[in-house]
């Protein structure tokens, strides 16, 4: 069977875990990152450092591989389009264009007749005069946000002037949801109506950053089925190839809302490395490289703890017990709010 050489854009922990999974199925990887210290260089067969806008470097990368995927969605659209002329980019740049922008993404989800929070587009400061009905809520940059970055909570109109908001950027304002729970569904799509879907994962965020994930999620059957159905609809409508994640809110009245789509492997799915026969990473590789689709099977219930900032210190030398799996992302510098590693605990 032909085994393509896979290019991966992005060299963080997701790139590392993708490269490790590729090795497992005998796929060679070349990582492209703008950070010369990117941890994924320890896991890939080859590593190229360059700016994501440097077309010459990008071409050098593209020349070395048969197809390209990525570990994060905030890659310049133009760069993805240029690569896509020579080598297939999966998932497609067209898909990424929708998901890169919170406004396009939410409009798309609503067009699929699925529920999101109430939101409105904010172009100028004066647009904030129209959002009284949506208060309290969150102002979120349309592009480049992650781990709660680029978000401002507004409880009432007085807060608008208290915060220094850069209005050269576009925003959406989103009504605050009284959360009962957050869950996510990870799905790998291989082609028309061909999926492997992981059961919903229950997530706890602290300071808008994911802190804990676990399966099974404590949710009722209606929400379990609905979340899986909605994730399938979204991946089909996006014509997605590879692994993606749909983040959901459940409010106190047990209504389900799509929060956002991550068009890539996702932090909440790290536990699939230890809980399932095939992880979200291996499934992504299988899908984009055209390898066999194998039915996924849960082997263990599991929970995951993200090690953020200096949390990592106490785990570096910790003696692990048999059902604990520690992942060190090998990042050079510990920074506040930076994801440094994770610990997965399986239930035997
Ligand atoms: P990011 O792209 O940074 O992950 P999200 O929109 O997913 O942005 O927000 C991060 C977290 O902040 C969510 O998982 C949730 O815990 C909280 N949050 C975001 N929007 C809302 C909202 N409208 N209502 C309640 N909580 C929210
Ligand atoms: Mg999120």
């Amino acid at each position: 069977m032909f085994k393509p050489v896979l290019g991966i854009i992005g060299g963080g922990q997701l790139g590392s875990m993708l490269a490790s999974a590729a090795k497992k199925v005998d796929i060679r990887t070349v990582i492209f990152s703008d950070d010369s210290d990117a941890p994924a260089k320890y896991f890939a067969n080859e590593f190229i450092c360059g700016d994501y806008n440097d077309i010459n470097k990008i071409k050098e990368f593209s020349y070395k591989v048969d197809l390209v995927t990525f570990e994060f969605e905030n890659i310049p659209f133009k760069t993805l389009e240029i690569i896509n002329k020579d080598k297939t980019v999966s998932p497609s740049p067209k898909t990424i264009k929708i998901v890169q922008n919170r406004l396009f993404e939410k409009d798309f989800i609503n067009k699929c007749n699925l529920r999101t929070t109430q939101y409105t587009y904010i172009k100028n400061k004066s647009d904030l005069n129209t959002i009284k009905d949506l208060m309290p809520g969150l102002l979120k940059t349309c592009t480049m946000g992650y781990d709660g970055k680029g978000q401002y909570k507004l409880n009432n109109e007085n807060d608008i002037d208290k915060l220094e908001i850069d209005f050269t950027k576009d925003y959406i304002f989103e009504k605050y949801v009284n959360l009962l729970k957050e869950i996510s569904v990870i799905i790998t799509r291989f082609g028309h109506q061909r999926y492997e879907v992981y059961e919903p994962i229950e997530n706890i965020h602290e300071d808008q950053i994911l802190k804990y994930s676990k399966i099974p999620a404590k949710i009722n059957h209606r929400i379990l089925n609905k979340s899986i159905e909605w994730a399938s609809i979204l991946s089909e409508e996006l014509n997605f190839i590879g692994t993606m994640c749909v983040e959901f809110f459940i409010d106190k009245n047990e209504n389900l809302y799509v929060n956002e789509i991550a068009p890539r492997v996702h932090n909440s799915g790290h536990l699939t490395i230890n809980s399932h026969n095939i992880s979200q990473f291996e499934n992504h590789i299988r899908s984009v490289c055209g390898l066999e689709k194998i039915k996924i099977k849960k082997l263990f219930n599991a929970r995951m703890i993200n090690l953020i900032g200096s949390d990592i210190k106490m785990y570096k030398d910790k003696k692990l017990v048999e059902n604990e799996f520690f992942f060190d992302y090998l990042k050079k510098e510990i920074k506040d709010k930076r994801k440094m590693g994770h610990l997965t605990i399986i239930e035997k």
Side-chain angles (χ1 to χ4, degrees):
M1 191 185 187
F2 172 67
K3 292 264 178 106
V5 176
L6 178 63
I8 302 172
I9 307 178
Q13 62 270 22
L14 300 176
S16 303
M17 289 185 255
L18 282 169
S20 296
K23 216 165 256 175
K24 212 176 132 200
V25 290
D26 237 0
I27 294 276
R28 286 182 61 80
T29 51
V30 182
I31 298 254
F32 187 96
S33 168
D34 65 355
D35 173 5
S36 59
D37 282 333
K41 70 180 180 191
Y42 304 115
F43 301 88
N45 297 92
E46 213 179 317
F47 178 76
I48 299 176
C49 181
D51 192 278
Y52 296 127
N53 290 302
D54 182 342
I55 301 306
N56 288 333
K57 274 270 173 201
I58 284 286
K59 285 203 165 146
E60 178 193 327
F61 162 71
S62 164
Y63 181 72
K64 287 181 183 246
V65 301
D66 296 306
L67 40 101
V68 171
T69 189
F70 46 83
E71 64 142 23
F72 73 113
E73 57 273 37
N74 294 327
I75 301 160
F77 177 67
K78 199 170 151 229
T79 300
L80 294 176
E81 262 200 330
I82 288 172
I83 301 173
N84 206 37
K85 279 188 190 137
D86 293 331
K87 305 285 163 74
T88 305
V89 177
S90 296
S92 76
K94 230 163 75 192
T95 299
I96 299 317
K97 195 162 189 171
I98 300 170
V99 183
Q100 272 183 341
N101 183 302
R102 285 192 201 274
L103 180 68
F104 301 166
E105 178 185 46
K106 283 207 163 40
D107 287 349
F108 165 77
I109 298 164
N110 281 283
K111 251 189 246 143
C112 296
N113 286 321
L114 305 179
R115 191 189 299 120
T116 61
T117 55
Q118 278 178 266
Y119 63 98
T120 188
Y121 176 51
I122 305 285
K123 175 86 194 119
N124 302 301
K125 192 172 177 196
S126 60
D127 295 339
L128 289 173
N129 299 328
T130 63
I131 58 168
K132 266 187 214 141
D133 293 350
L134 297 181
M135 296 254 194
L138 284 155
L139 191 67
K140 302 181 177 179
T141 49
C142 283
T143 56
M144 304 299 277
Y146 68 98
D147 288 346
K149 291 188 173 70
Q151 299 193 9
Y152 308 87
K153 174 120 195 256
L154 301 180
N155 289 311
N156 54 53
E157 290 140 293
N158 299 334
D159 283 348
I160 297 173
D161 288 320
K162 279 191 213 151
L163 298 164
E164 280 179 25
I165 299 166
D166 171 8
F167 279 100
T168 58
K169 292 180 180 160
D170 288 9
Y171 294 86
I172 58 164
F173 188 77
E174 194 183 304
K175 198 177 167 77
Y176 200 77
V177 176
N178 233 332
L179 291 176
L180 176 70
K181 254 173 219 257
E182 293 188 68
I183 57 169
S184 54
V185 172
I186 290 177
I187 178 165
T188 309
R189 183 173 177 274
F190 288 76
H192 180 62
Q193 302 284 355
R194 294 179 65 229
Y195 323 107
E196 288 300 321
V197 195
Y198 296 88
E199 67 179 67
I201 301 162
E202 185 168 336
N203 301 314
I204 296 177
H205 291 76
E206 282 178 5
D207 282 341
Q208 288 150 303
I209 303 177
L210 182 66
K211 184 68 192 163
Y212 305 102
S213 293
K214 70 163 184 183
I215 48 168
K218 246 187 160 181
I219 49 175
N220 65 39
H221 265 274
R222 181 183 57 85
I223 287 184
L224 183 134
N225 292 332
K226 222 182 198 180
S227 61
I228 290 176
E229 187 196 334
W230 288 13
S232 313
I233 291 171
L234 290 171
S235 76
E236 194 65 39
E237 290 296 321
L238 286 169
N239 206 6
F240 201 87
I241 293 295
T243 296
M244 62 174 244
C245 174
V246 184
E247 296 179 13
F248 294 94
F249 293 151
I250 303 168
D251 74 9
K252 295 255 157 70
N253 297 320
E254 301 212 38
N255 293 308
L256 187 68
Y257 304 80
V258 176
N259 169 27
E260 62 174 348
I261 302 167
R264 52 167 170 79
V265 288
H266 191 259
N267 191 173
S268 63
H270 290 1
L271 51 74
T272 61
I273 296 175
N274 307 100
S275 65
H276 281 72
N277 59 336
I278 311 256
S279 72
Q280 63 162 349
F281 301 99
E282 183 177 332
N283 255 334
H284 183 72
I285 303 289
R286 286 184 172 280
S287 166
V288 300
C289 295
L291 306 183
E292 186 191 359
K293 168 172 147 348
I294 297 174
K295 199 168 165 37
I296 58 166
K297 207 175 133 207
K298 179 165 77 168
L299 307 173
F300 306 105
N301 288 328
R303 58 203 165 87
M304 186 233 32
I305 305 168
N306 258 348
L307 306 174
I308 296 167
S310 54
D311 290 355
I312 186 95
K313 283 188 193 158
M314 68 190 205
Y315 285 89
K316 286 223 192 228
D317 305 310
K318 186 175 181 280
K319 216 172 159 13
L320 299 173
V321 291
E322 189 205 348
N323 62 338
E324 289 181 334
F325 301 86
F326 169 57
F327 296 78
D328 184 343
Y329 301 158
L330 307 175
K331 292 185 182 173
K332 282 238 158 119
E333 202 185 333
I334 295 180
K335 282 191 196 158
D336 196 32
K337 300 198 173 176
R338 186 177 220 192
K339 291 172 178 167
M340 301 298 299
H342 74 266
L343 184 80
T344 298
I345 303 150
I346 56 169
E347 268 175 40
K348 278 202 171 167

